[in-house]
Amino acid sequence: DLGVGHMLFMVSDLDAIMSRIRGAGLKILARSGEPVYLNPQVRAVFTRDPDGFFVEFMERKEASPAAE
């Protein structure tokens, strides 16, 4: 099952990581091929490494302070 055993990397620029994933000829494992938003501040993508192991890259943006 997807996500049962995988390695997670927290990253600060998921768009740059996605570009490198695609440049390496790897596939993003989402129907849309785009990040999945877990909430408004967190998005993630899964791919597989060359050995077939699941790898997740997750980006967490700091919540914007409320307008005063």
Side-chain angles (χ1 to χ4, degrees):
D1 289 340
L2 182 61
V4 171
H6 72 282
M7 187 171 294
L8 166 67
F9 293 96
M10 295 299 295
V11 300
S12 60
D13 188 350
L14 189 59
D15 294 323
I17 297 297
M18 290 174 44
S19 178
R20 292 184 70 176
I21 289 170
R22 291 180 176 129
L26 300 173
K27 183 178 177 183
I28 293 174
L29 302 177
R31 289 181 186 174
S32 67
E34 297 298 323
V36 173
Y37 282 82
L38 305 176
N39 65 45
Q41 286 81 38
V42 179
R43 62 187 185 142
V45 295
F46 273 89
T47 190
R48 287 183 189 247
D49 72 9
D51 294 319
F53 193 72
F54 291 113
V55 180
E56 179 180 9
F57 295 92
M58 183 180 290
E59 173 188 79
R60 179 185 304 269
K61 297 287 186 184
E62 294 299 320
S64 300
E68 296 180 18

